[in-house]
Amino acid sequence: MDVGVRLQSIRKLKGLSQRELAKRAGVTNSTISMIEKNSVSPSISSLKKVLAGIPMSLVEFFSLELEQDNPTQVVYKASELIDISDGAVTMKLVGKAHPSRAIAFLSETYPPGADTGDEMLTHEGEEAGMLVDGKLELTVAGEVYVLESGDSYYFESAKPHRFRNPFDVPAKLISATTPANF
Amino acid sequence: MDVGVRLQSIRKLKGLSQRELAKRAGVTNSTISMIEKNSVSPSISSLKKVLAGIPMSLVEFFSLELEQDNPTQVVYKASELIDISDGAVTMKLVGKAHPSRAIAFLSETYPPGADTGDEMLTHEGEEAGMLVDGKLELTVAGEVYVLESGDSYYFESAKPHRFRNPFDVPAKLISATTPANF
DNA sequence: CAACAGCGTTCAGTATTTACAACACACTGA
DNA sequence: TCAGTGTGTTGTAAATACTGAACGCTGTTG
C-alpha cells in the first residue's frame, strides 16, 4: 500500500480537509495534495510534521500500512482495534484492513463524567449502537434518553445528538456509523 | 531518537559499511553518510530503498525508534526480540532498547542442515553460549565439538569458528558476543 | 443569479535532497 | 616505503520536494 492513499484515508477518517490538516501541521495544502496523489515522496521530516497535525506517530502510520497488506482479515482481536480516542472517551475502530470502509464500527468507553462535548453533533449518515455495560445518556433532537445495559439506538446523524455519562460507572458502547467520515 | 543514529546503529549491527549498504540499496554512499549525520531528512522512498538493503521494513525501523523512547526496558518478551536472521538460521537479539550495546545476546535456532556458512568466521571479541535444545556441531580453530542440550562454550572470536547442525532435530542456542559488531 | 467560502488540483519558483567524484585517513601486504 | 583497498566525509551539479498563488469545482447565502 502506498503512502498517499494511506494518508488520505486517515485524514478523511479524522474528518479533516487538506487545508485544515495543512494548517495544523504547518505545511501548505499543496504539499498534502501532492503527497496523497503520490506525485512526490515526502521527506521524513515533512511526513512527521504532517502526521503531527493528525496527530499520529510515524510508527502508527507505517503499522497501519503493514496491516493492510492482509486485505482479507475478517476477525480482529481486542488488541488489534485502531484507537481513535477523543478526549476522555476511548473509541476503538473495527476493520483496520478496510481503508475505504463504509461503516465506522466502534467500541467506545465513556468514563463517569465523560461526554462527546458541549456542542451537539450533526453530520450526514445514520448511526446505531447498543450499550453493553453501565448507563449512558443520549440526547437526539432535544429528546433525552437513558440507555441501560442491553438498550440500543438508531437515528439519522443529521439530527443534533450528544452522548454523556453522568452516572458513576463506566459505560461501554458498541456503535456503528455510516458513512465513516465522522 | 533521530533517524540518523538509528540507521547507523542498525547498519553496524548488521556489520555493513556505508558503501556496502549503499550498493545493496541502490543509492550512493554519500547519501547514507549524510542521512546518518542528520544533515538531510531523507524522503520516504529513499529511506525505503536504504532499508531494503538491510533488509528492514519501514514499520520495523520506526518501531525500533519508538521502543527506545523507553530506554530503561529490562525485561523482554519472546515476541519483543529483534529478528536479525541470516539464511536458514533464525537469530533474535535481546535488548533492543540499548542501541549502543556492548553485548549481542541472541536466541538462535538452527534447523537440521543449517550452518553459519562454508567459510569459517573470524572477528574480534569473545563469545559464549549454551545449547538449550537439540544437538549442534561447533568447530573452533580446527577442533570439532558436539554440543548437546545443556552444554555451553566460550572462545575468542578471532579463532576461526563455525556452527553446523548435521543432526535431524532443530538446535536452539542462547549466545552472547562482545563487542556487538559481528 | 451573484457573491462567497470551502474543497482539491496545478504551475512556476525556491529550497532541499541525491548522485557523482573527489578527498583524507587507516590498514594491509609486497 | 609504497601501492592498493578499505573506511567515512565533503564539494558541485542534477534531480526532487516544497511553497505560494493561481485555477476550477461544489454547495451555501443573500
Side-chain angles (χ1 to χ4, degrees):
Chain A
M1 166 64 79
D2 59 290
V3 172
V5 174
R6 178 105 298 260
L7 177 61
Q8 178 164 339
S9 54
I10 291 171
R11 176 176 62 80
K12 291 193 169 168
L13 189 66
K14 288 286 186 173
L16 298 173
S17 69
Q18 289 183 347
R19 283 180 155 84
E20 175 67 23
L21 176 56
K23 201 173 68 181
R24 297 190 188 186
V27 299
T28 60
N29 58 317
S30 54
T31 300
I32 295 186
S33 172
M34 297 201 293
I35 291 175
E36 292 186 355
K37 287 167 57 62
N38 284 311
S39 54
V40 298
S41 178
S43 69
I44 300 290
S45 55
S46 299
L47 185 60
K48 197 168 184 174
K49 278 207 292 187
V50 170
L51 294 178
I54 289 189
M56 170 176 266
S57 72
L58 288 163
V59 196
E60 295 173 278
F61 184 81
F62 287 110
S63 297
L64 290 180
E65 184 171 346
L66 179 74
E67 285 149 6
Q68 76 195 26
D69 284 348
N70 177 16
T72 50
Q73 183 174 0
V74 172
V75 178
Y76 299 84
K77 301 195 163 195
S79 59
E80 288 180 306
L81 301 184
I82 301 177
D83 192 315
I84 54 170
S85 297
D86 185 38
V89 185
T90 68
M91 309 175 80
K92 289 172 180 296
L93 180 64
V94 174
K96 63 190 176 186
H98 301 267
S100 56
R101 63 177 62 70
I103 300 176
F105 194 86
L106 300 173
S107 166
E108 311 176 30
T109 304
Y110 292 75
D115 59 40
T116 52
D118 291 342
E119 298 281 300
M120 299 298 271
L121 303 172
T122 61
H123 47 92
E124 61 171 337
E126 308 178 0
E127 53 190 291
M130 177 177 284
L131 199 67
V132 296
D133 220 0
K135 294 174 68 179
L136 190 64
E137 178 192 286
L138 168 61
T139 306
V140 178
E143 292 285 328
V144 179
Y145 310 88
V146 172
L147 296 172
E148 307 204 28
S149 184
D151 295 351
S152 55
Y153 66 84
Y154 193 114
F155 60 85
E156 288 72 42
S157 305
K159 297 179 182 170
H161 54 282
R162 177 177 56 191
F163 294 91
R164 294 203 310 151
N165 182 2
F167 311 104
D168 53 5
V169 292
K172 189 173 175 191
L173 178 70
I174 308 293
S175 77
T177 307
T178 177
N181 50 351
F182 54 97
Chain B
M1 165 67 78
D2 60 290
V3 172
V5 173
R6 176 102 304 254
L7 177 61
Q8 178 164 350
S9 55
I10 291 171
R11 176 176 62 80
K12 290 194 169 168
L13 189 66
K14 287 286 189 175
L16 298 173
S17 70
Q18 289 184 346
R19 282 180 156 83
E20 174 68 22
L21 176 56
K23 201 173 69 181
R24 297 190 188 187
V27 299
T28 60
N29 56 319
S30 57
T31 299
I32 296 187
S33 172
M34 298 202 294
I35 292 175
E36 292 186 356
K37 287 164 57 64
N38 283 311
S39 53
V40 298
S41 178
S43 69
I44 298 291
S45 56
S46 300
L47 185 61
K48 198 169 184 173
K49 277 206 293 186
V50 170
L51 294 179
I54 288 185
M56 169 175 267
S57 72
L58 288 163
V59 197
E60 297 173 276
F61 184 81
F62 288 110
S63 296
L64 290 180
E65 186 171 345
L66 178 74
E67 285 149 4
Q68 75 196 28
D69 285 347
N70 176 15
T72 50
Q73 183 174 0
V74 173
V75 178
Y76 300 84
K77 301 196 165 197
S79 59
E80 289 181 304
L81 301 183
I82 301 176
D83 193 315
I84 54 171
S85 297
D86 184 37
V89 184
T90 69
M91 309 175 81
K92 289 172 180 297
L93 179 65
V94 174
K96 62 190 175 186
H98 301 267
S100 56
R101 64 178 59 71
I103 299 176
F105 193 86
L106 300 173
S107 164
E108 309 175 32
T109 305
Y110 292 76
D115 59 41
T116 52
D118 290 343
E119 297 281 302
M120 300 298 271
L121 303 173
T122 62
H123 46 93
E124 61 170 339
E126 308 180 1
E127 53 190 290
M130 177 177 285
L131 199 68
V132 296
D133 220 1
K135 292 173 69 179
L136 191 63
E137 179 192 287
L138 167 61
T139 306
V140 177
E143 291 285 329
V144 179
Y145 310 88
V146 171
L147 297 171
E148 306 203 30
S149 184
D151 296 350
S152 55
Y153 65 84
Y154 194 112
F155 60 85
E156 288 72 43
S157 303
K159 296 179 182 172
H161 55 282
R162 177 177 56 190
F163 293 91
R164 293 202 311 151
N165 182 2
F167 310 106
D168 54 4
V169 293
K172 189 172 174 191
L173 178 70
I174 308 293
S175 77
T177 306
T178 177
N181 50 350
F182 52 98

